[in-house]
Amino acid sequence: MICKDRVVIVTGAGRGLGRAHALEFARQGAKVVVNDLGVSLSGEGGSDAPAQRVVEEIRALGGEAVAEGSDIATDAGAQRLVATALETFGRLDVLVNNAGFLRDRMLVNLSEEEWDAVMRVHLKGHFLPLKHAGLHWRAESKAGRRPDARVINTSSGAGLLGSVGQGNYSAAKAGIVGLTLVASAELGRYGVTVNAIAPAARTRMTEQVFAATMAAPEEGAFDAMAPENVSPLVAWLGSAESKDVTGRVFEVEGGRICVMEGFRHGPSTDRGARWDAAELGPEIGGLLKEAARSEPVYGA
Ligand SMILES: NC(=O)c1ccc[n+]([C@@H]2O[C@H](COP(=O)([O-])OP(=O)(O)OC[C@H]3O[C@@H](n4cnc5c(N)ncnc54)[C@H](O)[C@@H]3O)[C@@H](O)[C@H]2O)c1
C-alpha cells in the first residue's frame, strides 16, 4: 500500500494502460478519479461506460473511485477534472496524464486536421491538466500546506526515437518530454515532481503491431506485453517514496525498466569567431565521428 490515502487522477483510464494504472493505484491504497471520454481509437464518439466500468472494478476490490468524463484537452474539462478530485476526495496528490488517440499516416498524406487532432489530445491534453493541478498545488504551497505531489506524463518510444507513419504522434510525444522537463523545473519549488514514461503494452492502440510480432504467451507464462506490467512503476512514481526523482523519462515494458538519457551535449568545436560555411564539411564530419550514433527510428 505505497499510495495509501493518496488521491490520484488518471486521464484516459477507461481502457488499456490508464485502466491498469487506476487499478494498481487502488490496490496500493489510493483513491482514484477515473477520467475517460470513451472515444474510439481515432478519437471519435464518446461514452461514459469505460470509466464507469473501471470505477466498478475498483469498488469491487474494496477501493474508492469516481468516474469523470471531461475532455482533458479543453481548459474547462481539465479544470473540472481537478475540481472533481478536490470536491470528491478533498485533496489531490498525483496526476497521471495518459489519455490520447492515434491518426497515423505517412507525412505526405497527413492532413492538417489529423495533425491538429493528435497534437491537441496528447500535447494540450497533458498541458491543461498539468496547469490546473499545478495551480492548485501552488495555492496549497502558498497557504503553508506544502504538497508532496507527483505528475507522471506519458511519452512514447515514438517521441524519443521517432516512428515511421506517426509524424503527428511522434512530435506530440517528443513535446511531452520537453513539457516534463520544464514542469519539473518550475513546480519543484511547490513540492511537485514531474516525470514521464515511455511504455509499451498490448492495448487496442498496439494490438495489430504486437499480434504480428508476438505470439500469445503459454498458459501461466509471463505475459510481457500486458498493460499491467507498466503500472507498478507509475504507482511508485506516484508514491511519497519517489520524492527525489524528477525530470526523468523511463522506458517500461514487461519486466524491463530503462532510464532514458535523452539529449546531452556531445562533441563540440568552437572557432571563437563566425564559421565560413565552406570550412564546415570536415569539421562537422569530425564531430559526428566522435559522437554517439543515433538509434534507429521505429519502423525505418
Ligand atoms: N500501448 C502502448 O504500447 C503505448 C506505447 C507508447 C505510448 N502509449 C501511450 O499510452 C497512453 C495510453 O494508451 P493505450 O495504449 O492504453 O490506449 P487506449 O486507446 O487503450 O486508451 C486511451 C484512452 O484515452 C481515452 N481518451 C482519448 N481522448 C481523450 C480525451 N480527450 N479525454 C479523456 N479521455 C480520452 C480513450 O477513450 C481511451 O480509453 C497513450 O497516451 C498512448 O499514446 C501507449
Side-chain angles (χ1 to χ4, degrees), residues 29-59:
K31 300 169 188 174
V32 190
V33 180
V34 177
N35 160 269
D36 206 291
L37 198 51
V39 294
S40 72
L41 179 54
S42 54
E44 277 110 13
S47 155
D48 296 343
Q52 202 51 58
R53 266 198 303 272
V54 174
V55 167
E56 280 154 25
E57 283 183 272
I58 290 175
R59 290 187 182 147

mmCIF file of all heavy atoms in Angstrom, residues 29-59:
data_model
loop_
_atom_site.group_PDB
_atom_site.id
_atom_site.type_symbol
_atom_site.label_atom_id
_atom_site.label_comp_id
_atom_site.label_asym_id
_atom_site.label_seq_id
_atom_site.Cartn_x
_atom_site.Cartn_y
_atom_site.Cartn_z
ATOM 1 N N GLY A 29 -3.814 1.454 -2.331
ATOM 2 C CA GLY A 29 -4.485 2.217 -1.282
ATOM 3 C C GLY A 29 -4.930 3.611 -1.678
ATOM 4 O O GLY A 29 -5.436 4.362 -0.834
ATOM 5 N N ALA A 30 -4.763 3.990 -2.954
ATOM 6 C CA ALA A 30 -5.132 5.348 -3.368
ATOM 7 C C ALA A 30 -6.624 5.441 -3.692
ATOM 8 O O ALA A 30 -7.277 4.444 -3.992
ATOM 9 C CB ALA A 30 -4.315 5.752 -4.591
ATOM 10 N N LYS A 31 -7.140 6.679 -3.653
ATOM 11 C CA LYS A 31 -8.491 6.979 -4.130
ATOM 12 C C LYS A 31 -8.326 7.542 -5.539
ATOM 13 O O LYS A 31 -7.482 8.431 -5.739
ATOM 14 C CB LYS A 31 -9.153 8.014 -3.217
ATOM 15 C CG LYS A 31 -9.260 7.502 -1.795
ATOM 16 C CD LYS A 31 -9.667 8.597 -0.842
ATOM 17 C CE LYS A 31 -9.558 8.073 0.580
ATOM 18 N NZ LYS A 31 -9.787 9.104 1.573
ATOM 19 N N VAL A 32 -9.131 7.059 -6.480
ATOM 20 C CA VAL A 32 -8.822 7.331 -7.884
ATOM 21 C C VAL A 32 -9.951 8.064 -8.613
ATOM 22 O O VAL A 32 -11.113 7.663 -8.536
ATOM 23 C CB VAL A 32 -8.516 6.008 -8.638
ATOM 24 C CG1 VAL A 32 -7.949 6.310 -10.024
ATOM 25 C CG2 VAL A 32 -7.535 5.148 -7.853
ATOM 26 N N VAL A 33 -9.586 9.128 -9.320
ATOM 27 C CA VAL A 33 -10.504 9.771 -10.263
ATOM 28 C C VAL A 33 -10.220 9.157 -11.633
ATOM 29 O O VAL A 33 -9.134 9.324 -12.184
ATOM 30 C CB VAL A 33 -10.302 11.300 -10.307
ATOM 31 C CG1 VAL A 33 -11.277 11.927 -11.304
ATOM 32 C CG2 VAL A 33 -10.470 11.906 -8.920
ATOM 33 N N VAL A 34 -11.212 8.412 -12.127
ATOM 34 C CA VAL A 34 -11.061 7.677 -13.383
ATOM 35 C C VAL A 34 -11.627 8.538 -14.504
ATOM 36 O O VAL A 34 -12.837 8.573 -14.736
ATOM 37 C CB VAL A 34 -11.812 6.323 -13.297
ATOM 38 C CG1 VAL A 34 -11.737 5.569 -14.615
ATOM 39 C CG2 VAL A 34 -11.256 5.471 -12.159
ATOM 40 N N ASN A 35 -10.748 9.263 -15.181
ATOM 41 C CA ASN A 35 -11.211 10.124 -16.281
ATOM 42 C C ASN A 35 -11.196 9.340 -17.584
ATOM 43 O O ASN A 35 -10.223 8.633 -17.874
ATOM 44 C CB ASN A 35 -10.292 11.350 -16.406
ATOM 45 C CG ASN A 35 -10.397 12.000 -17.779
ATOM 46 O OD1 ASN A 35 -9.652 11.660 -18.687
ATOM 47 N ND2 ASN A 35 -11.337 12.896 -17.938
ATOM 48 N N ASP A 36 -12.256 9.446 -18.363
ATOM 49 C CA ASP A 36 -12.219 8.926 -19.744
ATOM 50 C C ASP A 36 -13.393 9.477 -20.520
ATOM 51 O O ASP A 36 -14.515 9.525 -20.041
ATOM 52 C CB ASP A 36 -12.248 7.389 -19.777
ATOM 53 C CG ASP A 36 -11.589 6.851 -21.039
ATOM 54 O OD1 ASP A 36 -12.160 7.040 -22.142
ATOM 55 O OD2 ASP A 36 -10.499 6.274 -20.943
ATOM 56 N N LEU A 37 -13.087 9.876 -21.750
ATOM 57 C CA LEU A 37 -14.107 10.421 -22.645
ATOM 58 C C LEU A 37 -14.782 9.292 -23.418
ATOM 59 O O LEU A 37 -15.812 9.508 -24.055
ATOM 60 C CB LEU A 37 -13.396 11.396 -23.604
ATOM 61 C CG LEU A 37 -14.160 12.432 -24.387
ATOM 62 C CD1 LEU A 37 -15.083 13.250 -23.502
ATOM 63 C CD2 LEU A 37 -13.174 13.366 -25.107
ATOM 64 N N GLY A 38 -14.199 8.113 -23.371
ATOM 65 C CA GLY A 38 -14.813 6.948 -24.028
ATOM 66 C C GLY A 38 -14.870 7.055 -25.538
ATOM 67 O O GLY A 38 -15.847 6.650 -26.173
ATOM 68 N N VAL A 39 -13.787 7.576 -26.129
ATOM 69 C CA VAL A 39 -13.772 7.747 -27.590
ATOM 70 C C VAL A 39 -13.173 6.520 -28.286
ATOM 71 O O VAL A 39 -12.604 5.648 -27.643
ATOM 72 C CB VAL A 39 -12.972 9.011 -28.003
ATOM 73 C CG1 VAL A 39 -13.678 10.265 -27.519
ATOM 74 C CG2 VAL A 39 -11.534 8.970 -27.469
ATOM 75 N N SER A 40 -13.308 6.498 -29.615
ATOM 76 C CA SER A 40 -12.744 5.402 -30.414
ATOM 77 C C SER A 40 -11.225 5.571 -30.504
ATOM 78 O O SER A 40 -10.678 6.596 -30.089
ATOM 79 C CB SER A 40 -13.335 5.428 -31.825
ATOM 80 O OG SER A 40 -12.779 6.531 -32.526
ATOM 81 N N LEU A 41 -10.570 4.583 -31.094
ATOM 82 C CA LEU A 41 -9.110 4.610 -31.228
ATOM 83 C C LEU A 41 -8.624 5.844 -31.991
ATOM 84 O O LEU A 41 -7.521 6.337 -31.764
ATOM 85 C CB LEU A 41 -8.653 3.324 -31.938
ATOM 86 C CG LEU A 41 -7.170 3.137 -32.202
ATOM 87 C CD1 LEU A 41 -6.351 3.277 -30.925
ATOM 88 C CD2 LEU A 41 -6.909 1.779 -32.835
ATOM 89 N N SER A 42 -9.484 6.373 -32.894
ATOM 90 C CA SER A 42 -9.070 7.578 -33.632
ATOM 91 C C SER A 42 -9.730 8.827 -33.035
ATOM 92 O O SER A 42 -9.705 9.886 -33.658
ATOM 93 C CB SER A 42 -9.401 7.426 -35.111
ATOM 94 O OG SER A 42 -10.769 7.115 -35.243
ATOM 95 N N GLY A 43 -10.326 8.702 -31.837
ATOM 96 C CA GLY A 43 -10.800 9.883 -31.113
ATOM 97 C C GLY A 43 -12.225 10.291 -31.415
ATOM 98 O O GLY A 43 -12.627 11.402 -31.088
ATOM 99 N N GLU A 44 -13.023 9.402 -32.065
ATOM 100 C CA GLU A 44 -14.408 9.774 -32.372
ATOM 101 C C GLU A 44 -15.395 9.208 -31.341
ATOM 102 O O GLU A 44 -15.095 8.242 -30.654
ATOM 103 C CB GLU A 44 -14.795 9.272 -33.776
ATOM 104 C CG GLU A 44 -14.329 10.214 -34.881
ATOM 105 C CD GLU A 44 -13.208 9.629 -35.704
ATOM 106 O OE1 GLU A 44 -12.960 8.416 -35.573
ATOM 107 O OE2 GLU A 44 -12.579 10.380 -36.465
ATOM 108 N N GLY A 45 -16.581 9.821 -31.312
ATOM 109 C CA GLY A 45 -17.657 9.339 -30.441
ATOM 110 C C GLY A 45 -17.430 9.737 -29.002
ATOM 111 O O GLY A 45 -16.769 10.733 -28.722
ATOM 112 N N GLY A 46 -17.971 8.951 -28.094
ATOM 113 C CA GLY A 46 -17.823 9.257 -26.662
ATOM 114 C C GLY A 46 -18.818 8.443 -25.859
ATOM 115 O O GLY A 46 -19.934 8.201 -26.326
ATOM 116 N N SER A 47 -18.396 7.977 -24.692
ATOM 117 C CA SER A 47 -19.286 7.177 -23.833
ATOM 118 C C SER A 47 -18.761 7.185 -22.399
ATOM 119 O O SER A 47 -17.550 7.176 -22.174
ATOM 120 C CB SER A 47 -19.318 5.738 -24.373
ATOM 121 O OG SER A 47 -19.654 4.839 -23.358
ATOM 122 N N ASP A 48 -19.707 7.182 -21.446
ATOM 123 C CA ASP A 48 -19.332 7.127 -20.021
ATOM 124 C C ASP A 48 -18.967 5.718 -19.584
ATOM 125 O O ASP A 48 -18.391 5.527 -18.509
ATOM 126 C CB ASP A 48 -20.542 7.526 -19.140
ATOM 127 C CG ASP A 48 -20.956 8.954 -19.373
ATOM 128 O OD1 ASP A 48 -20.132 9.705 -19.946
ATOM 129 O OD2 ASP A 48 -22.084 9.315 -18.985
ATOM 130 N N ALA A 49 -19.343 4.722 -20.412
ATOM 131 C CA ALA A 49 -19.283 3.327 -19.957
ATOM 132 C C ALA A 49 -17.874 2.860 -19.555
ATOM 133 O O ALA A 49 -17.725 2.241 -18.494
ATOM 134 C CB ALA A 49 -19.877 2.407 -21.022
ATOM 135 N N PRO A 50 -16.811 3.135 -20.333
ATOM 136 C CA PRO A 50 -15.497 2.609 -19.936
ATOM 137 C C PRO A 50 -15.047 3.111 -18.557
ATOM 138 O O PRO A 50 -14.602 2.317 -17.719
ATOM 139 C CB PRO A 50 -14.558 3.103 -21.038
ATOM 140 C CG PRO A 50 -15.433 3.316 -22.223
ATOM 141 C CD PRO A 50 -16.744 3.785 -21.663
ATOM 142 N N ALA A 51 -15.193 4.415 -18.288
ATOM 143 C CA ALA A 51 -14.773 4.953 -16.980
ATOM 144 C C ALA A 51 -15.616 4.335 -15.869
ATOM 145 O O ALA A 51 -15.102 3.948 -14.813
ATOM 146 C CB ALA A 51 -14.897 6.474 -16.964
ATOM 147 N N GLN A 52 -16.908 4.228 -16.116
ATOM 148 C CA GLN A 52 -17.820 3.679 -15.110
ATOM 149 C C GLN A 52 -17.453 2.229 -14.770
ATOM 150 O O GLN A 52 -17.444 1.843 -13.600
ATOM 151 C CB GLN A 52 -19.256 3.776 -15.653
ATOM 152 C CG GLN A 52 -20.326 3.749 -14.599
ATOM 153 C CD GLN A 52 -20.090 4.760 -13.462
ATOM 154 O OE1 GLN A 52 -19.976 5.965 -13.698
ATOM 155 N NE2 GLN A 52 -19.971 4.271 -12.227
ATOM 156 N N ARG A 53 -17.098 1.449 -15.803
ATOM 157 C CA ARG A 53 -16.719 0.034 -15.580
ATOM 158 C C ARG A 53 -15.492 -0.063 -14.676
ATOM 159 O O ARG A 53 -15.421 -0.911 -13.788
ATOM 160 C CB ARG A 53 -16.414 -0.652 -16.914
ATOM 161 C CG ARG A 53 -17.613 -1.389 -17.513
ATOM 162 C CD ARG A 53 -17.182 -2.389 -18.566
ATOM 163 N NE ARG A 53 -16.416 -1.785 -19.654
ATOM 164 C CZ ARG A 53 -16.959 -1.259 -20.752
ATOM 165 N NH1 ARG A 53 -18.270 -1.248 -20.914
ATOM 166 N NH2 ARG A 53 -16.202 -0.730 -21.696
ATOM 167 N N VAL A 54 -14.516 0.811 -14.916
ATOM 168 C CA VAL A 54 -13.280 0.762 -14.109
ATOM 169 C C VAL A 54 -13.579 1.159 -12.662
ATOM 170 O O VAL A 54 -13.057 0.553 -11.724
ATOM 171 C CB VAL A 54 -12.168 1.641 -14.739
ATOM 172 C CG1 VAL A 54 -10.942 1.705 -13.847
ATOM 173 C CG2 VAL A 54 -11.795 1.091 -16.120
ATOM 174 N N VAL A 55 -14.455 2.147 -12.494
ATOM 175 C CA VAL A 55 -14.859 2.525 -11.126
ATOM 176 C C VAL A 55 -15.487 1.317 -10.434
ATOM 177 O O VAL A 55 -15.174 1.021 -9.269
ATOM 178 C CB VAL A 55 -15.836 3.725 -11.162
ATOM 179 C CG1 VAL A 55 -16.508 3.930 -9.814
ATOM 180 C CG2 VAL A 55 -15.082 4.987 -11.586
ATOM 181 N N GLU A 56 -16.338 0.582 -11.157
ATOM 182 C CA GLU A 56 -16.967 -0.608 -10.538
ATOM 183 C C GLU A 56 -15.916 -1.662 -10.183
ATOM 184 O O GLU A 56 -15.983 -2.291 -9.133
ATOM 185 C CB GLU A 56 -18.035 -1.179 -11.476
ATOM 186 C CG GLU A 56 -19.337 -0.386 -11.365
ATOM 187 C CD GLU A 56 -20.199 -0.446 -12.620
ATOM 188 O OE1 GLU A 56 -20.070 -1.431 -13.382
ATOM 189 O OE2 GLU A 56 -20.977 0.511 -12.839
ATOM 190 N N GLU A 57 -14.932 -1.839 -11.068
ATOM 191 C CA GLU A 57 -13.855 -2.817 -10.769
ATOM 192 C C GLU A 57 -13.106 -2.420 -9.502
ATOM 193 O O GLU A 57 -12.754 -3.261 -8.679
ATOM 194 C CB GLU A 57 -12.857 -2.878 -11.936
ATOM 195 C CG GLU A 57 -13.344 -3.663 -13.140
ATOM 196 C CD GLU A 57 -12.266 -3.730 -14.212
ATOM 197 O OE1 GLU A 57 -12.207 -2.806 -15.063
ATOM 198 O OE2 GLU A 57 -11.459 -4.681 -14.198
ATOM 199 N N ILE A 58 -12.831 -1.102 -9.363
ATOM 200 C CA ILE A 58 -12.099 -0.630 -8.170
ATOM 201 C C ILE A 58 -12.947 -0.831 -6.915
ATOM 202 O O ILE A 58 -12.451 -1.306 -5.885
ATOM 203 C CB ILE A 58 -11.672 0.850 -8.347
ATOM 204 C CG1 ILE A 58 -10.575 0.941 -9.413
ATOM 205 C CG2 ILE A 58 -11.210 1.457 -7.013
ATOM 206 C CD1 ILE A 58 -10.154 2.353 -9.778
ATOM 207 N N ARG A 59 -14.235 -0.524 -7.031
ATOM 208 C CA ARG A 59 -15.124 -0.709 -5.858
ATOM 209 C C ARG A 59 -15.199 -2.186 -5.483
ATOM 210 O O ARG A 59 -15.228 -2.531 -4.299
ATOM 211 C CB ARG A 59 -16.501 -0.119 -6.131
ATOM 212 C CG ARG A 59 -16.418 1.409 -6.168
ATOM 213 C CD ARG A 59 -17.777 2.077 -6.279
ATOM 214 N NE ARG A 59 -17.607 3.523 -6.367
ATOM 215 C CZ ARG A 59 -18.375 4.340 -7.049
ATOM 216 N NH1 ARG A 59 -19.437 3.872 -7.714
ATOM 217 N NH2 ARG A 59 -18.145 5.645 -7.074
#
